[in-house]
Amino acid sequence: MSAVDRKMLRDLWRIKGQAIAIALVIATGVLLQVMMSGLVASLSETRRTYYERNDLAEVFAPVVRAPQTVLGRLAKISGVDRVSGRVVGRALIDIPSDPVPIQSQAVGLPDTGEQIHNTVYLTTGRFPAENHRDEALLLSGFASAHGYGIGDRIEVTMNGSRRSIRIVGLAQSPEFLFVAAPGEMVPDPARYGVIWMRRSALASAYDMSGAFNQALFSLSRGASSEAVIDAIDQILKPYGGTGAYGRSDLVSDRFVSEEIDGLATMARAVPPLFLAVAAFLLYIVVNRIVQAEREEIGLLKAFGYTNREVGIHYTKLLLIIALAGAILGCLLGILSGRAMIPVYTTFYNFPFLVFRPDPTSFVIGAVASIVSASAGSIFVLKRIFALTPSEAMRPPAPADYSKTMTFKGRAALLFDQPTRIVMRGLARSPWRALALSAGIAGGMALASGMTTIYGAFDRMMNLSFTVIDRSDATVYFHSPLGEKAAYELARIPGVIAVEPLRDVAATLRLGRELHRGSISGMVAGPEITRAIDHTLAPIDLPARGLVLSKPLAEILGAAPGDILTVDVREGRQPVLEIPVTRVASSLIGAPAYMQLDALNKAMSEPARITGAHLRVDDAKADQIYRKLKDMPAVAGVSVSENARASLQKLMDQGAGSARYIMGAVAFIITFGVVYNAARIAQNERARDLAALRVMGFSKSETTFVLLGELAVIVLIALPVGSLAGYGLSFLIANGFSSELYQIPASYDPFSHGFSAAFILAAAAISGLLVMRDLNRMDLVAVLKSRD
């Protein structure tokens, strides 16, 4: 080992505290890069493989009822490779221990042969026998949530008729990665089931003998999905076709895609923030080291070492720190990614999912670490290399402090001598103080921004379930009924209030932008479930026109006054031109609202409803839900308490759980920044502090001089960091928001106060560590260091 390499190791040991802190900052940035990029790659590759292996259809075409012979015409459409028809239907599962009827989807399997599309992945058991109409497969996630196994029987209501079905197998399907009940936006395996039965069994239950109500398509390579969908709609329109749609509009695929896109966005945006902080810290450290070793650099050059060799020497030290952080970040990123895998297998029903880090993320993390380390050394070493050995070996010329502040007269009496030293020190090196303050402000911004997001998640929950949706339960019917159905619900003992609704499936278009969703028809002045504006005031729905939620308005690029083309996909399927009147705030989903009477009039179906929002007496809730379970017209019941619990679980254990990792990382970085600021200040002032001790200053006075500067720097950083954190919280909230839920960022005094308290605590701990070293300082050795 060469002499300069041994010197490098000694230097590294001397600044081990700072080196560890900086390495941890780099590691956190690389951790997020590896974890998020790996999750994106793993989810994308697993989804692609799963879709291909199990032949997920590329186009879905629901229809009221079409004869089997129509499949031949559909197969002749240009661009269609394969087509199959099946029977599907809504069903209710009766769990005796649960008063609420569980919504489910019944899906037909071919009586003979294999499935052409959406092949079921059998996790255990066997397929239903061809001649046993009471046998079925059950979605494995639902079975696990309720403790069902092979051989158990469940009571199911299909098309108004009660049936007893025996479970012979548990299964999963690429069609049901994301499982949520109709009318709900949150996945909950316990609240929605999928049942697979032989086609003949479902055909008899839903009156589909010799017919189908959903066609599935695979397309030829290079085929235009838009042209194929238009041709499909033309053929199926006489049979009640409600509009074919591509795989990207499948609810399951759409939400999984949004999750992957959200992770990809954060993988691009978040890690650079942490690596930028690391680069800043490295710059300060290398600047201090090089300036402190100015004479040693001159001596090295005098002994014949070239500028290149000296530069490599100091660059090696930084690269060791950077590469150590990068390696640690890669290892922790792999562990974190693997820890997140159970979340996605639970919430997104993947039958298999292995975390496979993206090799590119390792390269990006290592390169970014090296660049951030090198960037700090280049500017500092350039100034040193310009010096001759003789000049570099001499101490730098004393700075000219003649124009800095002086304390005379009353000012001298107002401040004691240590305080005056602190103030003069800050005035003499303002840029150093501002640099350290900027680093602490950056840490404060990360901490306060993430803490604000914690509160924003809770605020979203409270607003959604106490201000926007104040219902206790929502009832859905199999088909539109007369308004008399709402009165019948109101007569159930324990029902306090009923507010009818009508949801109509529709495609909303504005120019080239479109959104496949629905229109929610509500009474003119809703009280139970409402649309609200940005001030949280309820919106009275106009007699004509649409009120769009903010997410939907952004998707379509719509504003009040725009005319939307609304292609209704049920009933008479009219195509309507409806103006946008208002934009409402929405925190869950992307709904569109319309007055109920106006919607029914546009549909030419007066006084029709598809469900109702209920307020119920808590003491009689179970009796009410059991009563609803026995009503043939009821297709499902969504209980707000269950929906809220599911959303909370999703945010704590699902996609939203990433905020906890990012929050922990933010606070680690914040402490690292404060600790480095204290250590840098100590090392830069070591000689001055030793001189003060020799001149008669006590240990406490000397400590006050050093930590007083740190205190001022920290106090300056707090308001700046708080302001930066306020802006950062909006960027982070936008990254977490999706069509599933939107995070409302706002100024949260508690979050900023908590972050400020953490900064002060970090400064106090760092100060204690520095004070311990000051008390142990060898005065003679420090004062002789530049002799």
Side-chain angles (χ1 to χ4, degrees):
M1 184 179 291
S2 65
V4 289
D5 286 340
R6 289 196 296 271
K7 176 183 180 301
M8 177 196 66
L9 294 178
R10 288 195 299 271
D11 291 341
L12 192 60
W13 177 254
R14 190 177 68 252
I15 62 168
K16 55 183 178 296
Q18 289 174 262
I20 291 173
I22 295 171
L24 288 176
V25 172
I26 294 175
T28 52
V30 177
L31 179 156
L32 292 175
Q33 177 74 44
V34 171
M35 182 190 72
M36 292 181 178
S37 298
L39 286 173
V40 170
S42 299
L43 288 171
S44 299
E45 181 60 23
T46 301
R47 180 182 61 170
R48 184 192 64 78
T49 303
Y50 192 24
Y51 284 1
E52 289 181 357
R53 288 181 181 177
N54 295 72
D55 297 306
L56 181 66
E58 294 177 75
V59 174
F60 296 75
V63 64
V64 174
R65 191 179 192 278
Q68 287 287 111
T69 55
V70 176
L71 292 175
R73 296 172 56 193
L74 294 172
K76 295 179 181 179
I77 296 175
S78 177
V80 170
D81 181 37
R82 290 175 296 163
V83 61
S84 62
R86 66 179 184 178
V87 176
V88 298
R90 297 178 69 172
L92 291 179
I93 299 177
D94 183 6
I95 299 178
S97 61
D98 192 340
V100 180
I102 306 298
Q103 299 186 68
S104 64
Q105 173 91 348
V107 181
L109 298 171
D111 287 330
T112 58
E114 297 182 353
Q115 291 176 270
I116 298 177
H117 295 103
N118 302 1
T119 305
V120 170
Y121 180 88
L122 193 65
T123 59
T124 186
R126 62 174 175 82
F127 282 89
E130 297 177 10
N131 56 349
H132 288 75
R133 294 192 173 188
D134 66 336
E135 293 184 350
L137 302 178
L138 188 63
L139 185 67
S140 58
F142 180 84
S144 176
H146 292 282
Y148 285 123
I150 305 300
D152 292 339
R153 283 192 171 271
I154 56 175
E155 298 294 320
V156 180
T157 301
M158 296 181 178
N159 201 24
S161 300
R162 181 70 64 92
R163 302 183 61 174
S164 178
I165 295 175
R166 188 163 65 95
I167 302 170
V168 297
L170 304 180
Q172 293 177 318
S173 170
E175 183 180 0
F176 299 105
L177 290 178
F178 178 95
V179 179
E184 298 184 8
M185 299 293 291
V186 182
D188 187 349
R191 306 306 307 170
Y192 190 70
V194 181
I195 302 167
W196 289 270
M197 299 178 67
R198 291 298 179 183
R199 176 192 177 86
S200 56
L202 287 188
S204 62
Y206 292 98
D207 191 25
M208 288 288 167
S209 297
F212 65 90
N213 59 6
Q214 190 177 62
L216 307 177
F217 299 83
S218 295
L219 305 184
S220 304
R221 186 183 298 273
S224 170
S225 59
E226 291 82 2
V228 172
I229 287 174
D230 289 341
I232 293 171
D233 289 341
Q234 290 296 321
I235 294 175
L236 294 183
K237 187 173 184 179
Y239 304 100
T242 56
Y245 56 90
R247 182 188 293 171
S248 60
D249 286 321
L250 182 67
V251 173
S252 173
D253 183 76
R254 189 170 72 209
F255 282 112
V256 174
S257 296
E258 286 190 356
E259 175 67 18
I260 294 174
D261 292 342
L263 283 172
T265 299
M266 287 191 289
R268 290 191 299 268
V270 175
L273 291 175
F274 300 116
L275 292 174
V277 174
F280 176 77
L281 289 177
L282 284 168
Y283 170 76
I284 295 177
V285 170
V286 72
N287 182 64
R288 185 198 64 78
I289 293 175
V290 171
Q291 291 296 343
E293 298 191 355
R294 170 190 174 105
E295 298 174 27
E296 296 180 28
I297 292 174
L299 186 61
L300 288 172
K301 294 173 71 174
F303 275 103
Y305 287 94
T306 64
N307 286 339
R308 177 175 175 273
E309 291 171 326
V310 174
I312 290 175
H313 163 68
Y314 286 100
T315 303
K316 279 183 181 179
L317 184 145
L318 295 178
L319 290 181
I320 289 175
I321 298 174
L323 290 177
I327 293 171
L328 179 62
C330 290
L331 295 176
L332 293 178
I334 294 173
L335 294 177
S336 301
R338 289 179 175 175
M340 290 290 290
I341 288 300
V343 170
Y344 291 98
T345 54
T346 298
F347 282 92
Y348 291 99
N349 290 287
F350 284 104
F352 53 88
L353 182 58
V354 178
F355 180 76
R356 295 182 178 178
D358 183 4
T360 306
S361 65
F362 293 131
V363 176
I364 293 175
V367 170
S369 302
I370 293 172
V371 170
S372 63
S374 303
S377 62
I378 291 173
F379 298 103
V380 178
L381 292 175
K382 185 177 179 181
R383 295 198 302 267
I384 298 299
F385 292 161
L387 301 177
T388 62
S390 58
E391 186 179 358
M393 293 173 63
R394 289 196 301 268
D400 182 7
Y401 294 140
S402 61
K403 297 182 180 179
T404 57
M405 65 172 62
T406 57
F407 296 89
K408 297 179 181 179
R410 185 172 298 179
L413 298 176
L414 185 62
F415 301 107
D416 60 14
Q417 192 171 22
T419 302
R420 295 198 298 272
I421 293 175
V422 169
M423 298 178 69
R424 279 196 296 265
L426 291 171
R428 289 171 178 175
S429 304
W431 293 114
R432 184 198 65 177
L434 289 176
L436 293 176
S437 185
I440 297 174
M444 169 74 176
L446 291 173
S448 61
M450 286 309 308
T451 309
T452 299
I453 293 301
Y454 290 167
F457 269 81
D458 295 334
R459 184 167 179 263
M460 181 269 286
M461 293 283 293
N462 291 329
L463 288 177
S464 297
F465 291 97
T466 61
V467 177
I468 298 176
D469 184 358
R470 303 190 294 176
S471 67
D472 295 314
T474 302
V475 179
Y476 300 98
F477 303 133
H478 284 288
S479 59
L481 302 177
E483 291 184 345
K484 180 182 177 181
Y487 297 112
E488 292 179 357
L489 293 174
R491 286 199 293 266
I492 298 176
V495 174
I496 299 171
V498 176
E499 206 167 75
L501 64 94
R502 182 172 188 182
D503 284 331
V504 175
T507 299
L508 286 72
R509 302 174 186 270
L510 180 62
R512 300 183 64 181
E513 302 296 331
L514 62 87
H515 175 76
R516 184 183 176 88
S518 65
I519 298 176
S520 298
M522 302 190 299
V523 296
E527 293 293 334
I528 299 179
T529 298
R530 311 173 296 176
I532 62 171
D533 60 20
H534 66 282
T535 66
L536 306 184
I539 297 175
D540 289 331
L541 300 180
R544 183 175 180 272
L546 282 169
V547 175
L548 301 183
S549 60
K550 185 178 179 181
L552 181 54
E554 292 175 351
I555 291 172
L556 297 174
D562 290 335
I563 305 295
L564 298 187
T565 300
V566 179
D567 189 358
V568 178
R569 308 310 301 173
E570 61 183 64
R572 295 181 174 83
Q573 299 188 11
V575 178
L576 311 172
E577 299 290 331
I578 306 178
V580 177
T581 58
R582 296 281 296 274
V583 174
S585 295
S586 175
L587 302 177
I588 298 180
Y593 307 102
M594 192 172 180
Q595 194 179 119
L596 180 60
D597 291 340
L599 178 59
N600 282 329
K601 183 178 180 181
M603 294 283 294
S604 300
E605 296 177 356
R608 308 297 284 179
I609 63 174
T610 58
H613 301 293
L614 307 182
R615 294 292 303 276
V616 303
D617 183 350
D618 290 341
K620 298 181 179 180
D622 287 354
Q623 295 92 316
I624 294 171
Y625 300 146
R626 294 188 187 279
K627 177 73 173 177
L628 294 172
K629 186 186 293 188
D630 295 331
M631 292 184 172
V634 173
V637 178
S638 174
V639 179
S640 295
E641 183 180 356
N642 293 337
R644 180 168 187 162
S646 298
L647 182 58
Q648 186 68 59
K649 185 177 180 181
L650 173 67
M651 293 190 300
D652 291 341
Q653 301 179 15
S657 62
R659 73 190 195 274
Y660 293 119
I661 297 176
M662 293 176 61
V665 165
F667 281 95
I668 290 173
I669 284 183
T670 301
F671 183 84
V673 170
V674 176
Y675 177 78
N676 270 281
R679 284 298 183 189
I680 290 168
Q682 176 195 358
N683 292 326
E684 287 181 341
R685 301 293 303 277
R687 184 180 175 86
D688 294 340
L689 296 173
L692 291 177
R693 288 290 309 280
V694 171
M695 292 168 59
F697 279 69
S698 66
K699 291 182 177 180
S700 59
E701 289 175 325
T702 306
T703 302
F704 176 82
V705 170
L706 175 63
L707 298 186
E709 288 191 17
L710 178 63
V712 174
I713 290 170
V714 169
L715 292 177
I716 292 174
L718 291 181
V720 178
S722 179
L723 183 62
Y726 174 70
L728 183 62
S729 65
F730 284 89
L731 297 178
I732 299 174
N734 186 63
F736 274 111
S737 297
S738 66
E739 190 175 332
L740 177 60
Y741 53 74
Q742 295 81 46
I743 307 303
S746 61
Y747 180 76
D748 183 6
F750 171 81
S751 298
H752 291 262
F754 179 83
S755 300
F758 181 84
I759 294 286
L760 295 175
I765 294 172
S766 301
L768 290 175
L769 296 175
V770 169
M771 184 171 64
R772 182 195 62 182
D773 290 348
L774 283 177
N775 293 335
R776 299 174 178 176
M777 183 170 56
D778 185 343
L779 302 181
V780 175
V782 172
L783 290 174
K784 291 176 64 179
S785 62
R786 294 187 182 180
D787 290 344

Short mmCIF file of all heavy atoms in Angstrom, two decimals, residues 489-517:
data_model
loop_
_atom_site.label_atom_id
_atom_site.label_comp_id
_atom_site.label_asym_id
_atom_site.label_seq_id
_atom_site.Cartn_x
_atom_site.Cartn_y
_atom_site.Cartn_z
N LEU A 489 -87.47 1.04 0.89
CA LEU A 489 -86.30 1.03 1.77
C LEU A 489 -86.53 1.90 2.99
O LEU A 489 -86.11 1.56 4.11
CB LEU A 489 -85.06 1.51 1.01
CG LEU A 489 -84.54 0.63 -0.12
CD1 LEU A 489 -83.40 1.33 -0.85
CD2 LEU A 489 -84.07 -0.72 0.41
N ALA A 490 -87.20 3.02 2.81
CA ALA A 490 -87.44 3.93 3.92
C ALA A 490 -88.37 3.34 4.97
O ALA A 490 -88.34 3.75 6.14
CB ALA A 490 -88.02 5.24 3.39
N ARG A 491 -89.19 2.37 4.57
CA ARG A 491 -90.13 1.77 5.52
C ARG A 491 -89.49 0.68 6.38
O ARG A 491 -90.11 0.18 7.31
CB ARG A 491 -91.31 1.18 4.76
CG ARG A 491 -92.29 2.22 4.23
CD ARG A 491 -93.63 1.61 3.92
NE ARG A 491 -93.54 0.67 2.80
CZ ARG A 491 -93.80 1.00 1.54
NH1 ARG A 491 -94.13 2.26 1.25
NH2 ARG A 491 -93.71 0.11 0.57
N ILE A 492 -88.24 0.30 6.07
CA ILE A 492 -87.57 -0.71 6.89
C ILE A 492 -87.28 -0.11 8.26
O ILE A 492 -86.69 0.98 8.37
CB ILE A 492 -86.26 -1.18 6.22
CG1 ILE A 492 -86.55 -1.83 4.87
CG2 ILE A 492 -85.51 -2.15 7.13
CD1 ILE A 492 -85.30 -2.22 4.11
N PRO A 493 -87.69 -0.76 9.35
CA PRO A 493 -87.43 -0.22 10.70
C PRO A 493 -85.94 0.02 10.92
O PRO A 493 -85.12 -0.87 10.68
CB PRO A 493 -87.96 -1.33 11.62
CG PRO A 493 -88.97 -2.06 10.80
CD PRO A 493 -88.46 -2.02 9.40
N GLY A 494 -85.60 1.21 11.37
CA GLY A 494 -84.22 1.56 11.64
C GLY A 494 -83.58 2.41 10.56
O GLY A 494 -82.51 2.99 10.80
N VAL A 495 -84.21 2.50 9.38
CA VAL A 495 -83.68 3.36 8.32
C VAL A 495 -84.08 4.79 8.62
O VAL A 495 -85.27 5.11 8.69
CB VAL A 495 -84.18 2.92 6.94
CG1 VAL A 495 -83.74 3.92 5.88
CG2 VAL A 495 -83.66 1.53 6.60
N ILE A 496 -83.11 5.66 8.80
CA ILE A 496 -83.37 7.05 9.18
C ILE A 496 -83.64 7.92 7.97
O ILE A 496 -84.55 8.77 7.97
CB ILE A 496 -82.17 7.61 9.98
CG1 ILE A 496 -81.96 6.78 11.26
CG2 ILE A 496 -82.38 9.08 10.31
CD1 ILE A 496 -80.69 7.13 11.99
N ALA A 497 -82.86 7.75 6.92
CA ALA A 497 -83.01 8.59 5.72
C ALA A 497 -82.60 7.79 4.50
O ALA A 497 -81.73 6.91 4.58
CB ALA A 497 -82.18 9.86 5.84
N VAL A 498 -83.22 8.11 3.36
CA VAL A 498 -82.93 7.45 2.09
C VAL A 498 -82.74 8.52 1.03
O VAL A 498 -83.52 9.47 0.95
CB VAL A 498 -84.06 6.49 1.67
CG1 VAL A 498 -83.77 5.89 0.29
CG2 VAL A 498 -84.25 5.39 2.70
N GLU A 499 -81.71 8.37 0.24
CA GLU A 499 -81.45 9.30 -0.85
C GLU A 499 -81.22 8.48 -2.12
O GLU A 499 -80.21 7.79 -2.24
CB GLU A 499 -80.21 10.13 -0.53
CG GLU A 499 -80.17 11.49 -1.20
CD GLU A 499 -79.10 12.36 -0.58
OE1 GLU A 499 -77.92 12.13 -0.86
OE2 GLU A 499 -79.46 13.27 0.20
N PRO A 500 -82.17 8.52 -3.07
CA PRO A 500 -82.04 7.67 -4.28
C PRO A 500 -80.90 8.13 -5.17
O PRO A 500 -80.47 9.28 -5.14
CB PRO A 500 -83.39 7.84 -4.96
CG PRO A 500 -83.89 9.16 -4.50
CD PRO A 500 -83.39 9.33 -3.10
N LEU A 501 -80.39 7.19 -5.99
CA LEU A 501 -79.33 7.50 -6.92
C LEU A 501 -79.52 6.68 -8.19
O LEU A 501 -80.26 5.69 -8.20
CB LEU A 501 -77.95 7.19 -6.31
CG LEU A 501 -77.66 5.71 -5.96
CD1 LEU A 501 -76.94 5.01 -7.12
CD2 LEU A 501 -76.81 5.61 -4.72
N ARG A 502 -78.86 7.10 -9.23
CA ARG A 502 -78.82 6.31 -10.45
C ARG A 502 -77.44 6.44 -11.07
O ARG A 502 -76.99 7.55 -11.39
CB ARG A 502 -79.88 6.75 -11.46
CG ARG A 502 -79.84 5.86 -12.72
CD ARG A 502 -80.95 6.10 -13.69
NE ARG A 502 -80.94 5.07 -14.75
CZ ARG A 502 -81.77 5.04 -15.79
NH1 ARG A 502 -82.71 5.97 -15.90
NH2 ARG A 502 -81.68 4.09 -16.68
N ASP A 503 -76.77 5.31 -11.24
CA ASP A 503 -75.48 5.27 -11.92
C ASP A 503 -75.69 4.75 -13.33
O ASP A 503 -76.29 3.69 -13.52
CB ASP A 503 -74.50 4.36 -11.17
CG ASP A 503 -73.95 5.02 -9.92
OD1 ASP A 503 -73.87 6.26 -9.89
OD2 ASP A 503 -73.62 4.29 -8.97
N VAL A 504 -75.19 5.50 -14.30
CA VAL A 504 -75.35 5.14 -15.70
C VAL A 504 -73.97 5.01 -16.34
O VAL A 504 -73.17 5.96 -16.32
CB VAL A 504 -76.18 6.21 -16.45
CG1 VAL A 504 -76.23 5.90 -17.94
CG2 VAL A 504 -77.59 6.29 -15.88
N ALA A 505 -73.67 3.83 -16.87
CA ALA A 505 -72.40 3.63 -17.55
C ALA A 505 -72.34 4.49 -18.82
O ALA A 505 -73.29 4.53 -19.59
CB ALA A 505 -72.23 2.16 -17.91
N ALA A 506 -71.24 5.18 -19.01
CA ALA A 506 -71.12 6.08 -20.16
C ALA A 506 -69.66 6.35 -20.47
O ALA A 506 -68.78 6.23 -19.61
CB ALA A 506 -71.85 7.40 -19.88
N THR A 507 -69.43 6.73 -21.71
CA THR A 507 -68.11 7.19 -22.14
C THR A 507 -68.20 8.69 -22.36
O THR A 507 -69.03 9.16 -23.14
CB THR A 507 -67.67 6.50 -23.44
OG1 THR A 507 -67.58 5.09 -23.21
CG2 THR A 507 -66.30 7.00 -23.88
N LEU A 508 -67.36 9.45 -21.66
CA LEU A 508 -67.37 10.91 -21.75
C LEU A 508 -66.22 11.34 -22.65
O LEU A 508 -65.08 10.91 -22.46
CB LEU A 508 -67.23 11.54 -20.37
CG LEU A 508 -68.46 11.48 -19.45
CD1 LEU A 508 -68.70 10.07 -18.93
CD2 LEU A 508 -68.29 12.43 -18.26
N ARG A 509 -66.53 12.20 -23.62
CA ARG A 509 -65.53 12.65 -24.58
C ARG A 509 -65.48 14.17 -24.64
O ARG A 509 -66.50 14.84 -24.54
CB ARG A 509 -65.85 12.12 -25.98
CG ARG A 509 -65.94 10.61 -26.11
CD ARG A 509 -66.40 10.22 -27.52
NE ARG A 509 -66.64 8.79 -27.64
CZ ARG A 509 -65.71 7.90 -27.99
NH1 ARG A 509 -64.50 8.32 -28.28
NH2 ARG A 509 -66.01 6.62 -28.07
N LEU A 510 -64.27 14.67 -24.81
CA LEU A 510 -64.06 16.08 -25.10
C LEU A 510 -62.90 16.15 -26.08
O LEU A 510 -61.74 15.94 -25.71
CB LEU A 510 -63.74 16.88 -23.84
CG LEU A 510 -63.50 18.38 -24.06
CD1 LEU A 510 -64.75 19.06 -24.64
CD2 LEU A 510 -63.07 19.06 -22.77
N GLY A 511 -63.22 16.44 -27.34
CA GLY A 511 -62.19 16.41 -28.36
C GLY A 511 -61.65 15.00 -28.52
O GLY A 511 -62.40 14.05 -28.72
N ARG A 512 -60.34 14.86 -28.39
CA ARG A 512 -59.71 13.54 -28.55
C ARG A 512 -59.59 12.81 -27.22
O ARG A 512 -59.18 11.65 -27.19
CB ARG A 512 -58.33 13.71 -29.18
CG ARG A 512 -58.36 14.38 -30.56
CD ARG A 512 -56.97 14.46 -31.17
NE ARG A 512 -56.42 13.13 -31.42
CZ ARG A 512 -55.20 12.93 -31.94
NH1 ARG A 512 -54.46 13.97 -32.27
NH2 ARG A 512 -54.76 11.71 -32.14
N GLU A 513 -59.92 13.49 -26.13
CA GLU A 513 -59.81 12.86 -24.81
C GLU A 513 -61.12 12.17 -24.46
O GLU A 513 -62.21 12.69 -24.74
CB GLU A 513 -59.48 13.90 -23.74
CG GLU A 513 -58.20 14.68 -23.99
CD GLU A 513 -56.98 13.78 -23.98
OE1 GLU A 513 -56.99 12.75 -23.28
OE2 GLU A 513 -56.00 14.12 -24.69
N LEU A 514 -61.01 10.99 -23.84
CA LEU A 514 -62.22 10.28 -23.42
C LEU A 514 -61.96 9.53 -22.12
O LEU A 514 -60.82 9.24 -21.76
CB LEU A 514 -62.71 9.31 -24.50
CG LEU A 514 -61.81 8.15 -24.94
CD1 LEU A 514 -62.01 6.93 -24.05
CD2 LEU A 514 -62.09 7.79 -26.39
N HIS A 515 -63.05 9.24 -21.44
CA HIS A 515 -62.97 8.50 -20.18
C HIS A 515 -64.16 7.56 -20.10
O HIS A 515 -65.31 7.98 -20.22
CB HIS A 515 -62.99 9.45 -18.98
CG HIS A 515 -63.02 8.75 -17.65
ND1 HIS A 515 -61.92 8.15 -17.10
CD2 HIS A 515 -64.03 8.56 -16.77
CE1 HIS A 515 -62.23 7.62 -15.93
NE2 HIS A 515 -63.51 7.85 -15.71
N ARG A 516 -63.87 6.28 -19.89
CA ARG A 516 -64.92 5.29 -19.74
C ARG A 516 -65.25 5.17 -18.25
O ARG A 516 -64.41 4.75 -17.45
CB ARG A 516 -64.47 3.93 -20.29
CG ARG A 516 -65.54 2.87 -20.24
CD ARG A 516 -65.01 1.54 -20.74
NE ARG A 516 -66.00 0.49 -20.61
CZ ARG A 516 -66.91 0.20 -21.53
NH1 ARG A 516 -66.93 0.88 -22.67
NH2 ARG A 516 -67.79 -0.76 -21.33
N GLY A 517 -66.45 5.56 -17.89
CA GLY A 517 -66.84 5.56 -16.48
C GLY A 517 -68.34 5.54 -16.34
O GLY A 517 -69.03 4.75 -16.99
#
